[in-house]
């Protein structure tokens, strides 16, 4: 039953609650019990980071994969949310700290960052392809330079440090294990909602807009309204990622919203594969593992540790060259081959 | 739920479609010049004309894909000249495209489901349709009507050319159409597929009218009651199929080397 079930699973309109692939179940169990196996370094540096970067990459995957809109501003939205939660909440820079409790600062940050993302979207949806990339890149660059020079709100080049992290239900959520579950929880939530939406009218229509905007208008859809709505959702998700990132780091500075970081986000999404939500997290995991260990490996070989970007760049090139659909493209191809073999073996059991 | 009869009476004595002095310029090229045309509700009409006559441009102006350079367009009595396409579609206008405009990355089912969703509420809904959702049922019925049930879960990119043309028609039949524009639905079809198309067109409910652009007189004249001939962006003849077929000017233009 394996081959046929899998191919029909990927296309069927009905949700198969208990029809998950064994790999999914194994991964789920592993992630759930990871704190029993892994040390603090792996939990935070590898997993929490992958979940947080994965959420931001997922917001790009949603726009690019389902909407056909490549936005380089998603890391900027995340960074803006991070700044807002730092500024409205408690931080170490008295001159820029408003000092609200986290449960007020977080909704405020989510709201303002989603608003910024919506405005970005409203500007970007009037353009197509390369121009969307240019306009979102311009917004990313502008925000980077603005935070660098503005001391009244963003504390300029130094940025904001000692950002307070939430403490409630008797748990200090920034300590490693709670933070692991916090980031895992939000990653799963974002992943699940995004997957769910992809088969709901909103997501289907977005894919229609991606494939043929003119026809969508001729079917009764307001194409630009749909695109802007996609930015609203994606920006909300990026904001969640950005708030987690600032809690994880305890600080935020213009370096967190630089153009480099915006492009890293694109690389993460593309390496993982933008056709399905899981790609964002696979891409983030690969990126984080390379960033964390490539340095040591390079130094061990007597090379400059800062060359890890070169490694990531080469990996990026290889992926784009061999599998335009990223790592999940490789996985899909392997699975399809496997599926067609088992279909043949079963003598074409198709109805 | 308003019935077709209610809608028709609401439309009153208005024409389904009324164009006055519609002109469309592409730079210095006049693709349409001073087109005045009216079509009654329920009327079925063919628009004929050689390549580049402006037939597709006429459709694009009616649906709002392009805004006309001048002139007015009324749909069921309402001036829609400045309306974006989706607003006209929501008022009951439908169209097919000469070059199939489908969603290749989605299945046949999803393509038709989108067409049904586009003309109803909940376009932004986060709620997944259940199998017994009325729109899912409507989509399945439409797919059956254009004989595509066998490939309902296939990606559109995998369909044959003829199947894609059939799907084009299904997309235009979604919801409660009041007036449909068919742009060369038979282009590139085999004789058997053409016969099937004629069958689909003739079996359409009679309460809504359509305009069909068709080079193949056999297809066009069998499914319509009136004909408009276009040439160089102008209307130069209107009449019944019999009148047009026997018209010497038409004969000369169509058969006497009017092409090319
Ligand atoms: N988007 C456009 N931009 C510029 N010129 C256009 C455009 N669309 C059509 N035209 C021109 O307008 C004229 C009419 O084109 P149109 O497509 O309406 O012809 P048609 O009657 O549909 O022809 P066919 O039978 O080949 O489909 C042609 O000269 C064409 O080149
Ligand atoms: Mg044409």
């Amino acid at each position: 039953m394996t081959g046929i079930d899998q191919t029909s699973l990927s296309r069927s309109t009905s949700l198969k609650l208990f029809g998950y692939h064994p790999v999914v179940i194994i991964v789920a169990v592993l992630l759930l019990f990871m704190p029993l196996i892994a040390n603090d370094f792996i939990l935070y540096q590898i997993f929490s980071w992958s979940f947080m970067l994965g959420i931001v990459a997922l917001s790009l995957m949603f726009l690019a994969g389902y909407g056909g809109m490549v936005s380089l501003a998603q890391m900027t939205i995340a960074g803006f949310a991070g700044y807002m939660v730092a500024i409205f909440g408690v931080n170490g820079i008295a001159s820029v700290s408003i000092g609200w409790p986290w449960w007020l600062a977080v909704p405020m940050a989510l709201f303002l960052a989603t608003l910024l993302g919506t405005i970005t979207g409203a500007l970007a949806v009037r353009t197509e392809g390369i121009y969307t990339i240019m306009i979102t890149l311009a917004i990313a660059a502008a925000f980077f330079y603005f935070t660098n020079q503005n001391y009244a709100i963003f504390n300029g080049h130094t940025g904001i440090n000692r950002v307070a992290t939430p403490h409630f239900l008797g748990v200090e959520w920034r300590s490693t294990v709670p933070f692991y579950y916090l980031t895992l929880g939000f990653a799963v939530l974002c992943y699940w909602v995004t997957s769910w939406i992809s088969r709901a009218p909103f997501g289907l229509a977005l894919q229609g807009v991606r494939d043929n905007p003119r026809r969508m208008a001729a079917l009764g859809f307001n194409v630009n309204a749909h695109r802007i709505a996609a930015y609203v959702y994606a920006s909300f998700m990026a904001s969640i990622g950005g708030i987690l990132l600032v809690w994880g780091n305890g600080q935020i500075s213009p370096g967190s919203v630089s153009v480099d970081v915006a492009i890293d986000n694109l690389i993460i999404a593309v390496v993982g594969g933008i056709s399905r939500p899981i790609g964002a997290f696979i891409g983030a995991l690969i990126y984080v593992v390379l960033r964390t260990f490539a340095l040591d490996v390079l130094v061990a070989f007597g090379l400059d540790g800062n060359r890890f970007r070169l490694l990531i760049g080469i990996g990026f090139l290889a992926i784009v060259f061999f599998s335009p659909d990223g790592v999940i493209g490789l996985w899909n191809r392997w699975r399809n081959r496997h599926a067609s073999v088992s279909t043949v073996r079963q003598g074409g059991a198709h109805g | 739920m308003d019935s077709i009869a209610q809608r028709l009476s609401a439309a009153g004595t208005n024409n389904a479609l009324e164009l006055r002095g519609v002109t469309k310029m592409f730079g210095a090229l006049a693709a349409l010049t001073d087109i005045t045309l009216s079509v009654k509700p329920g009327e079925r009409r063919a628009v004929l004309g050689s390549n580049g006559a402006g037939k597709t441009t006429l459709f694009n102006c009616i649906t709002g894909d392009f805004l006309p350079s001048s002139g007015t367009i009324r749909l069921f009595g309402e001036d829609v000249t400045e309306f974006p396409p989706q607003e006209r579609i929501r008022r009951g206008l439908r169209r097919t495209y000469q070059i199939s405009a489908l969603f290749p990355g989605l299945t046949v089912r999803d393509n038709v489901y989108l067409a049904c969703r586009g003309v109803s509420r909940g376009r932004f809904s986060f709620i997944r349709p259940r199998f017994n959702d009325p729109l899912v049922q409507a989509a399945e019925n439409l797919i059956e009507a254009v004989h595509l049930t066998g490939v309902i879960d296939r990606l559109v990119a995998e369909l044959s050319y003829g199947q894609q043309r059939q799907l084009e028609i299904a997309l235009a039949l979604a919801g409660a159409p009041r007036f449909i524009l068919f742009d060369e639905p038979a282009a590139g079809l085999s004789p058997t597929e053409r016969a099937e198309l004629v069958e689909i067109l003739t079996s359409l409910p009679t309460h809504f009218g359509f305009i069909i652009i068709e080079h193949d007189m056999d297809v066009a004249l069998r499914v319509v009651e009136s004909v408009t001939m276009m040439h160089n962006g102008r209307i130069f003849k209107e009449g019944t199929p019999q009148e047009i077929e026997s018209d010497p000017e038409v004969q000369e233009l169509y058969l006497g080397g009017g092409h090319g």
Side-chain angles (χ1 to χ4, degrees), chain A residues 215-227:
Chain A
R215 184 54 179 262
M216 283 303 277
L219 292 180
F221 290 91
N222 184 337
V223 168
N224 275 349
H226 238 93
R227 287 179 168 151

Side-chain angles (χ1 to χ4, degrees), chain A residues 20-36:
Chain A
Y20 289 122
H21 195 279
V23 171
V24 176
I25 296 178
I26 292 168
V27 169
V29 170
L30 265 178
L31 288 178
L32 207 56
F33 294 104
M34 192 57 77
L36 301 178

Side-chain angles (χ1 to χ4, degrees), chain B residues 6-225:
Chain B
Q6 277 172 323
R7 284 189 176 197
L8 279 182
S9 64
T13 55
N14 286 320
N15 284 318
L17 191 65
E18 197 165 315
L19 279 69
R20 281 225 192 97
V22 170
T23 296
K24 177 67 191 176
M25 307 291 296
F26 289 116
L29 172 83
L32 294 178
T33 310
D34 197 23
I35 299 283
T36 295
L37 175 81
S38 47
V39 186
K40 293 191 289 288
E43 184 177 336
R44 298 174 171 206
R45 178 179 302 222
V47 170
L48 304 180
S50 46
N51 291 111
K55 306 179 297 291
T56 298
T57 306
L58 177 70
F59 276 18
N60 284 331
C61 286
I62 297 173
T63 53
D65 285 45
F66 302 159
L67 290 181
S69 310
S70 62
T72 58
I73 298 168
R74 286 177 172 277
L75 195 62
F76 300 102
E78 186 178 14
D79 187 343
V80 298
T81 315
E82 302 287 325
F83 283 21
Q86 68 270 16
E87 290 301 330
R88 308 181 195 208
I89 301 303
R90 292 175 196 174
R91 282 166 175 73
L93 185 67
R94 301 284 187 277
R95 79 170 290 182
T96 71
Y97 286 84
Q98 183 170 358
I99 298 164
S100 296
L102 306 166
F103 310 106
L106 300 178
T107 61
V108 171
R109 189 196 297 272
D110 290 345
N111 269 255
V112 181
Y113 175 75
L114 276 181
C116 296
R117 182 54 78 177
V119 288
S120 57
R121 297 163 63 89
R123 297 177 195 91
F124 291 87
S125 171
F126 277 26
I127 300 166
R128 285 193 191 189
R130 297 172 58 85
F131 69 95
N132 58 357
D133 183 302
L135 288 187
V136 170
Q137 299 285 312
E140 283 175 7
N141 294 342
L142 274 174
I143 291 166
E144 190 171 351
V146 297
H147 315 302
L148 288 177
T149 307
V151 291
I152 191 164
D153 283 319
R154 294 270 285 279
L155 292 182
V156 167
E158 298 167 2
L159 297 190
S160 74
Y161 178 81
Q163 289 170 326
Q164 295 195 1
R165 296 306 290 167
Q166 278 156 278
L167 182 57
E168 260 298 317
I169 294 174
L171 296 193
L173 297 177
R178 301 166 79 191
F179 199 83
I180 308 185
L181 308 172
F182 292 108
D183 197 346
E184 301 201 25
L189 295 188
S190 70
T192 3
E193 288 167 333
R194 265 162 206 257
E196 214 171 324
L197 175 74
V198 170
E199 189 222 303
I200 290 171
L201 291 178
T202 45
S203 63
L204 290 178
T206 50
H207 60 259
F208 55 78
F210 61 74
I211 300 182
I212 180 168
I213 297 177
E214 189 47 70
H215 281 294
D216 184 340
M217 296 271 204
D218 278 346
V219 174
L221 301 184
R222 271 165 60 195
V223 296
V224 301
E225 59 224 33

